[in-house]
């Protein structure tokens, strides 16, 4: 069984359709990259996986999104529980204006963990997993806003990891970062794959090629092609994919 | 030609700014020069003198002691640093007890002589009479009545500006009245205002917000006299009935009316502050499995804290300076408040109520300006504080 699966998924903003009949499956402990030109629906799809689109007015969803076989859009789904299980990292680093420790502990606290020693352990683990521990272990009480952009983004990853999710959604996580920070994030994604199922939206085809196992190419709300990353970049079956990955449009 | 025209335009703009700032500065200078003037003014009722026998060692009595003498609380010169003798209060009305009509004269033409005679022959007297009756070669000594000190002004417990023979100008009851009423107003307005701001900014559907926001802002446009009238007709009788009071005009009534008046300020500033919280903060919180309430409580409100604080302080500022509505519902008794169910009098209400009866340029008149200075300093400090808070936030 796949970790994450969509079945005949249609998504509407008001009357305009944003995603058309998406059916795809993502395997456990793999990295899937979503690529495509702006407005193709890749971010929208990503945000459907943790129901972040629920915040928008006038949306309509048809079809199913299954996580480990359960439809997350079924009527009685606990959305908060779902979001705990499906972590998300955003395009721009968005740490809270609190201390580094408070940022990572946030998810644990809102999910009802009271024991300080447990929180401390999990904060440390999350910061180690996001390769930030050595840089911040002596300044945990300092404001997260004093960190560099790249550090802030890794802090946001740590914050998501502290909840011990099974799936990690990353919405262009390196687009606001410099090349060195980007390289660190990519390295991190590679390591995190062992424990988490990662879906990453990216504008950079090189990034998709470097970090992902499988790549999905979207165009105008449709899933054009979804295959092994190697195949997509070297031998795609659709002409539109060829044109996009070779830079002829987009 | 074009250049000259532009220069004239610039000149007009600069001139307008100059006039505006000059006006503000002039008003402040006027306020303070009048207000500070009260500290140089004798507290004795204007046009009167206090005199004693030449042999009396006492030369100066402060205003509080004079009040105590007239209230019979001080009866011996010893208490004022003089000889061990009873104080014999003498005023012009007592003259007929000691002198016959003939001696005084039918048209009171010998009144001066009689006064002179009396003061000369009674070593323990303290005579109080109009300055115009002061005899030419007076055989007594004029008592100096000191001017009020800033300390006594701020700490004095009595506000009796037209008391005779000395005005009592203690600002404490007015200051406390103002603070009580304002504090009560904020305590009432804050929970409602904040709840309303949170609802409008975070929870309400945009269409609900579109209706709610103008309604609340409309509250700010209602003239304060209307609030006062509403308070007088509705809130005052309600309080009277609810608490079985003799009069419903109380600090509580003032607080309720002011609280309603401060609501729009608090709501609109707090709402702006909450709406200015970046959406990425909300998303980050929600994406971590926080509920909407946890997001508001743990992320949005802490982020908007300084803006909300600014709203509260500006709301207090409005409450402190409000005059008309408070004047109408608080009962205006210049007592130090002990409970919210007592009448109080605030500083602005005092100025509005008493300026008409204070003689121009007199002590009372100047004292009212001094009250204005206190009010001005208070609101200025609040405003500076708000600026600092908001600036600090921007720097961060």
């Amino acid at each position: 069984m796949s970790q994450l699966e969509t079945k005949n998924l249609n998504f509407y903003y008001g009357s305009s359709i944003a995603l058309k009949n998406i059916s795809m499956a993502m395997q456990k402990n793999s990295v899937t990259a979503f690529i495509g030109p702006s407005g193709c629906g890749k971010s929208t799809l990503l945000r459907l996986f943790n129901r972040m689109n629920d915040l928008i007015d006038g949306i309509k969803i048809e079809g199913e999104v299954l996580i480990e076989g359960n439809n997350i859009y079924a009527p009685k789904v606990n959305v908060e529980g779902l979001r705990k299980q499906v972590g998300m990292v955003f395009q721009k680093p968005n740490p809270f204006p609190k201390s580094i420790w408070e940022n990572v502990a946030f998810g644990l606290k809102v999910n009802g963990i009271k024991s300080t020693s447990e929180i401390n352990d999990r904060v440390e683990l999350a910061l180690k997993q996001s390769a930030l521990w050595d840089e911040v272990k002596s300044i945990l009480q300092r404001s997260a806003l004093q960190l560099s952009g790249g550090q802030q983004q890794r802090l946001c990853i740590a914050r998501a990891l502290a909840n011990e999710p099974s799936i990690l959604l990353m919405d262009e996580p390196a687009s606001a970062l410099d090349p060195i920070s980007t390289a660190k994030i990519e390295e991190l994604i590679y390591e995190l794959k062992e424990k988490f199922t990662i879906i990453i939206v990216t504008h950079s085809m090189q990034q998709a090629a470097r970090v992902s196992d499988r790549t999905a190419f979207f165009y105008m709300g449709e899933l054009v092609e979804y295959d092994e990353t190697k195949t997509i970049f070297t031998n795609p079956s659709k002409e539109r994919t060829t044109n996009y990955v070779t830079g002829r449009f987009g | 030609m074009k250049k000259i025209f532009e220069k004239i335009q610039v000149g007009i703009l600069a001139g307008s700014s100059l006039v505006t700032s000059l006006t503000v500065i002039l008003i402040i200078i006027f306020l303070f020069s009048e207000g500070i003037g009260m500290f140089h003014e004798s507290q004795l009722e204007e046009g009167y003198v206090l005199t004693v026998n030449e042999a009396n060692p006492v030369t100066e009595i402060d205003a509080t002691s004079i009040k105590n003498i007239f209230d019979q609380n001080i009866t011996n010169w010893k208490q004022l640093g003089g000889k061990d003798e009873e104080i014999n209060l003498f005023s012009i009305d007592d003259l007929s007890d000691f002198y016959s009509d003939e001696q005084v004269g039918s048209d009171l033409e010998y009144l001066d002589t009689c006064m002179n005679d009396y003061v000369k022959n009674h070593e323990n007297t303290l005579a109080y009479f109009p300055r115009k009756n002061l005899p030419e070669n007076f055989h007594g000594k004029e008592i100096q009545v000191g001017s009020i000190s800033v300390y006594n002004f701020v700490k004095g417990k009595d506000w009796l500006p037209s008391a005779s023979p000395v005005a009592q100008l203690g600002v404490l009851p007015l200051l406390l009245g103002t603070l009580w009423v304002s504090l009560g107003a904020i305590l009432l307005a804050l929970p409602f205002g904040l709840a309303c701001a949170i609802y409008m900014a975070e929870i309400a559907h945009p269409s609900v917000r579109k209706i709610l926001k103008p309604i609340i802002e409309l509250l700010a446009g209602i003239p304060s006299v209307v609030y006062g009238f509403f308070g007088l007709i509705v809130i005052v009788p309600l309080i009277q009935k609810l608490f079985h009071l003799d009069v419903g005009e109380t600090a509580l009534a003032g607080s309720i009316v002011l609280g309603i008046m401060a609501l729009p300020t608090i709501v609109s500033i707090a709402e702006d502050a909450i709406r200015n919280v970046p959406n990425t903060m909300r998303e980050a919180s929600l994406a971590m499995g926080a509920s909407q309430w946890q997001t508001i409580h743990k992320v949005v409100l802490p982020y908007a804290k300084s803006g909300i604080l600014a709203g509260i302080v500006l709301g207090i500022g409005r409450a402190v300076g409000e005059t008309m509505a408070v004047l109408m519902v608080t009962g205006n008794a210049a007592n130090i408040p002990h409970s919210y169910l007592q009448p109080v009098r605030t500083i602005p209400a005092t100025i509005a109520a008493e300026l008409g009866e204070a003689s121009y340029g007199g002590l009372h008149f100047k004292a009212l300006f001094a009250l204005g200075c206190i009010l001005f300093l208070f609101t200025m400090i609040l405003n500076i504080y708000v600026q600092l808070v908001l600036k600090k936030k921007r720097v961060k």
Side-chain angles (χ1 to χ4, degrees):
Chain A
M1 188 172 54
S2 341
Q3 173 88 351
L4 179 58
E5 195 176 352
T6 70
K7 280 186 181 163
N8 306 102
L9 186 65
N10 290 324
F11 182 78
Y12 303 83
Y13 286 117
S15 55
S16 67
I17 186 158
L19 290 171
K20 285 176 224 165
N21 199 21
I22 309 286
S23 294
M24 62 192 296
M26 280 141 279
Q27 300 306 317
K28 208 170 160 72
N29 298 347
S30 68
V31 177
T32 307
F34 288 3
I35 59 169
S38 295
C40 68
K42 57 192 190 300
S43 280
T44 303
L45 180 60
L46 190 77
R47 294 164 72 95
L48 278 173
F49 296 151
N50 67 344
R51 295 190 59 164
M52 282 308 271
N53 286 332
D54 288 16
L55 306 175
I56 303 163
D57 265 339
I59 56 157
K60 200 173 93 190
I61 297 154
E62 291 165 356
E64 289 181 329
V65 179
L66 305 171
I67 291 180
E68 285 164 2
N70 301 312
N71 184 5
I72 62 169
Y73 283 94
K76 277 181 187 158
V77 166
N78 172 1
V79 179
E80 278 114 48
L82 166 77
R83 288 180 184 151
K84 184 175 170 284
Q85 194 194 344
V86 185
M88 187 163 202
V89 177
F90 296 84
Q91 191 170 351
K92 264 174 77 182
N94 57 352
F96 300 125
K98 300 172 187 267
S99 73
I100 294 168
W101 187 90
E102 285 279 350
N103 263 281
V104 186
F106 182 88
L108 303 171
K109 284 185 175 172
V110 298
N111 287 305
I113 295 171
K114 297 243 160 49
S115 144
T116 318
S117 63
E118 188 184 350
I119 293 179
N120 277 332
D121 290 347
R122 284 176 67 170
V123 166
E124 183 177 337
L125 179 67
L127 285 169
K128 279 180 176 159
Q129 284 174 334
S130 65
L132 194 61
W133 177 250
D134 290 333
E135 290 158 65
V136 302
K137 65 185 170 193
S138 57
I139 53 165
L140 288 177
Q141 294 311 321
R142 221 181 269 175
S143 167
L145 301 181
Q146 291 177 10
L147 297 174
S148 72
Q151 287 176 321
Q152 287 189 6
Q153 192 62 303
R154 276 181 284 147
L155 180 68
C156 291
I157 294 172
R159 191 169 65 175
L161 295 183
N163 270 341
E164 293 174 354
S166 53
I167 299 170
L168 189 61
L169 309 174
M170 303 177 114
D171 191 355
E172 299 182 40
S175 68
L177 303 180
D178 60 85
I180 294 170
S181 303
T182 304
K184 275 192 181 159
I185 300 271
E186 287 179 7
E187 213 174 289
L188 188 58
I189 292 171
Y190 193 78
E191 284 167 19
L192 290 175
K193 183 168 87 166
E194 287 184 15
K195 287 207 176 87
F196 307 94
T197 305
I198 295 172
I199 300 166
I200 176 170
V201 165
T202 177
H203 261 118
S204 151
M205 269 163 297
Q206 290 86 339
Q207 188 171 62
R210 281 194 298 263
V211 301
S212 68
D213 301 313
R214 291 171 73 83
T215 296
F217 170 58
F218 292 88
Y219 183 69
M220 305 276 284
E222 284 178 66
L223 177 59
V224 178
E225 195 168 349
Y226 176 43
D227 212 327
E228 296 288 325
T229 298
K230 212 188 222 171
T231 316
I232 292 277
F233 283 97
T234 54
N235 188 22
S237 53
K238 301 267 171 57
E239 198 191 339
R240 188 157 261 148
T241 315
T242 320
N243 288 344
Y244 186 74
V245 297
T246 52
R248 250 171 265 169
F249 91 103
Chain B
M1 189 64 205
K2 199 178 160 198
K3 236 179 178 177
I4 294 171
F5 192 67
E6 275 184 6
K7 272 195 175 157
I8 292 173
Q9 279 182 325
V10 170
I12 290 173
L13 297 181
S16 306
S17 325
L18 192 71
V19 168
T20 313
S21 0
L22 266 182
T23 313
V24 172
I25 291 168
L26 277 178
I27 289 176
I28 294 171
I29 290 174
F30 175 68
L31 178 68
F32 275 87
S33 65
E34 288 291 335
I36 289 168
M38 81 166 280
F39 298 109
H40 303 304
E41 197 93 356
S42 166
Q43 271 178 279
L44 194 64
E45 203 175 349
E46 243 187 318
Y48 282 77
V49 286
L50 269 177
T51 59
V52 291
N53 187 282
E54 273 182 329
N56 199 322
V58 179
T59 55
E60 194 176 336
I61 309 178
D62 65 81
T64 323
S65 305
I66 292 174
K67 179 176 179 278
N68 283 330
I69 295 168
F70 277 75
D71 290 348
Q72 311 279 326
N73 292 331
I74 294 179
T75 54
N76 198 302
W77 282 109
K78 214 169 79 177
Q79 287 165 278
L80 301 167
K83 298 172 194 161
D84 186 8
E85 272 177 313
E86 205 181 319
I87 297 173
N88 170 19
L89 259 182
F90 183 78
S91 82
I92 206 156
D93 302 328
D94 303 325
L95 215 60
S96 55
D97 299 345
F98 298 93
Y99 299 92
S100 68
D101 288 352
E102 276 168 31
Q103 281 172 301
V104 181
S106 54
D107 290 331
L108 303 172
E109 60 264 39
Y110 306 119
L111 193 123
D112 302 8
T113 330
C114 296
M115 289 301 302
N116 207 350
D117 186 59
Y118 188 87
V119 174
K120 190 177 167 188
N121 294 322
H122 294 81
E123 253 186 54
N124 63 345
T125 195
L126 179 65
Y128 171 63
F129 54 91
R131 184 172 285 278
K132 65 177 194 301
N133 294 115
L134 194 69
E136 264 178 32
N137 46 359
F138 188 50
H139 293 291
K141 204 165 54 165
E142 221 182 292
I143 286 285
Q144 299 300 317
V145 178
S147 56
I148 191 166
S149 66
V150 177
Y151 177 79
N152 281 333
F153 179 58
V154 175
K155 246 202 112 208
K157 290 190 175 75
D158 295 297
W159 177 263
L160 300 161
S162 42
S164 182
V166 283
Q168 300 297 315
L169 298 170
V171 85
L172 196 63
L174 309 181
L175 203 61
L176 286 178
T178 309
L179 291 180
W180 273 55
V181 171
S182 307
L183 197 73
I186 287 303
L187 288 180
L188 292 175
L190 188 59
F192 284 104
L194 199 55
C196 188
I198 293 171
Y199 176 73
M200 285 209 306
E202 291 289 311
I203 298 164
H205 193 267
S207 58
V208 177
R209 190 182 162 270
K210 248 183 218 161
I211 303 168
L212 218 54
K213 181 125 181 157
I215 291 178
I216 285 164
E217 276 166 2
L218 206 63
L219 268 182
I222 300 174
S224 66
V225 136
V226 177
Y227 282 105
F229 194 56
F230 167 77
L232 200 59
I233 301 299
V234 180
I235 294 171
V236 167
L238 194 72
I239 289 175
Q240 190 177 352
K241 233 185 256 168
L242 225 57
F243 297 99
H244 308 291
L245 300 173
D246 297 331
V247 282
E249 280 123 338
T250 53
L252 181 63
S255 291
I256 293 173
V257 171
L258 274 189
I260 297 171
M261 294 180 72
L263 266 181
T265 313
I266 294 178
V267 172
S268 67
I269 294 179
E271 200 230 350
D272 282 347
I274 294 171
R275 287 172 66 84
N276 279 335
V277 175
N279 226 357
T280 54
M281 289 295 125
R282 293 187 189 90
E283 286 187 339
S285 170
L286 291 170
M288 229 119 44
S291 63
Q292 187 180 25
W293 175 242
Q294 284 172 325
T295 302
I296 291 171
H297 170 69
K298 293 200 164 146
V299 176
V300 175
L301 289 186
Y303 199 96
K305 194 172 56 187
S306 53
I308 294 171
L309 197 65
I312 296 167
V313 174
L314 286 178
I316 294 178
R318 169 139 204 225
V320 167
E322 173 50 39
T323 311
M324 208 55 224
V326 183
L327 183 69
M328 290 166 82
V329 300
T330 51
N332 296 318
N335 297 325
I336 291 182
H338 296 291
S339 113
Y340 269 100
L341 300 175
Q342 280 180 335
V344 293
R345 184 195 282 200
T346 66
I347 290 176
T350 306
I351 297 175
E354 293 180 3
L355 202 55
E357 61 194 49
S359 67
Y360 181 84
L363 177 66
H364 186 189
F365 182 83
K366 287 178 177 164
L368 293 179
F369 273 95
L371 289 184
C373 293
I374 291 180
L375 211 54
F376 170 75
L377 289 176
F378 196 83
T379 42
M380 192 178 74
I381 290 167
L382 286 183
N383 279 320
I384 290 173
Y385 176 71
V386 169
Q387 296 302 325
L388 288 180
V389 166
L390 292 180
K391 202 168 154 193
K392 200 171 139 204
K393 191 192 169 196
R394 274 197 291 275
V395 169
K396 194 172 76 183

